[in-house]
Amino acid sequence: MSDATTSRQSNTSAGQTIRPDEAAHFGKLAKDWWDPKGSSAMLHKLNPVRLEFLREAIDLHWAGDIRSAKPLAGKSALDVGCGAGLLCEPLARLGADVTGVDAAPENTAAAAIHAERSGLDIRYMAGELASHDIGTFDLVTAMEVIEHVADKQAFASQLAARLTDGGLMVLSTPNRTVRSRALMIGAAEGIGLIPRGTHHWEDFVTPEELSEILAGAGLEMGEPRGIAFSPMRGLHLSDDLSLNYIVTARAR
């Protein structure tokens, strides 16, 4: 792993994944997380792209009926870094028994309120993933999270420990490129499309680094798909990995 990726880990205890400053930053956004025009507007635009990839990955992994409205029926799902539940709720609607874990208690509180109002039974909890005795899950997701954690290798190992035999993991993260620095930090944060201070470019993870991290946790990474942006199409799945990408992982 590169010095850039590990530079902000030097003052953290081994195995600790939560950075208090990161948790506080995202906790402040909890009140309007579900507002598609609020501070999390870009996540609302990103969510359908992630779900498109997820649905295809789910159908391929379990060889299910691609016409089924509930391909996760009878399966359990864990979303780590769940925020206020933007991904948890669609996973529940796809039939999964869903648990969401987040570093910020403000987020899980907002998530629980929204789920109840939406008539969805989703279990939410805050704090370090390793501190919760919650068993294993058929599907484990961590979207736009690994770039925010203190110890990336420990985090990947914790995710792997929550994956049941034969399970599927899906992760997404920004790539550490000149393009991602210019667009996600210089442009998007500069003009307020993303709250300022959300991203630290040196923490972005390249696909090669993520593959190495996952291998260290006993996982094999699938072929990454890019999440690209264009004025005509907005955010969309692409072969271009330079901005952001999403991958599957399975136990070796």
Side-chain angles (χ1 to χ4, degrees), residues 111-197:
I113 291 169
H114 195 276
E116 183 178 6
R117 289 174 177 171
S118 301
L120 297 171
D121 184 12
I122 299 173
R123 176 174 60 168
Y124 287 108
M125 52 192 65
E128 288 278 358
L129 176 60
S131 70
H132 296 293
D133 183 14
I134 51 177
T136 58
F137 298 81
D138 300 300
L139 174 67
V140 174
T141 59
M143 305 296 199
E144 314 298 308
V145 177
I146 198 166
E147 68 271 21
H148 297 292
V149 303
D151 187 330
K152 293 173 172 50
Q153 189 60 68
F155 181 68
S157 296
Q158 291 175 18
L159 294 178
R162 299 302 181 196
L163 191 64
T164 192
D165 291 343
L168 174 68
M169 187 182 297
V170 180
L171 306 93
S172 67
T173 186
N175 197 353
R176 196 175 65 257
T177 63
V178 172
R179 181 175 174 80
S180 69
R181 187 205 290 264
L183 291 183
M184 297 185 70
I185 299 176
E189 289 195 20
I191 64 175
L193 290 176
I194 297 173
R196 191 178 296 274

Side-chain angles (χ1 to χ4, degrees), residues 70-76 94-97 138:
K70 295 186 179 295
L72 292 175
K75 294 181 172 60
S76 57
L94 289 174
D97 179 9
D138 300 300

Side-chain angles (χ1 to χ4, degrees), residues 68-103:
S68 173
K70 295 186 179 295
L72 292 175
K75 294 181 172 60
S76 57
L78 171 67
D79 185 33
V80 181
C82 64
L86 282 186
L87 185 64
C88 287
E89 293 199 7
L91 291 177
R93 291 189 175 96
L94 289 174
D97 179 9
V98 180
T99 297
V101 176
D102 195 84

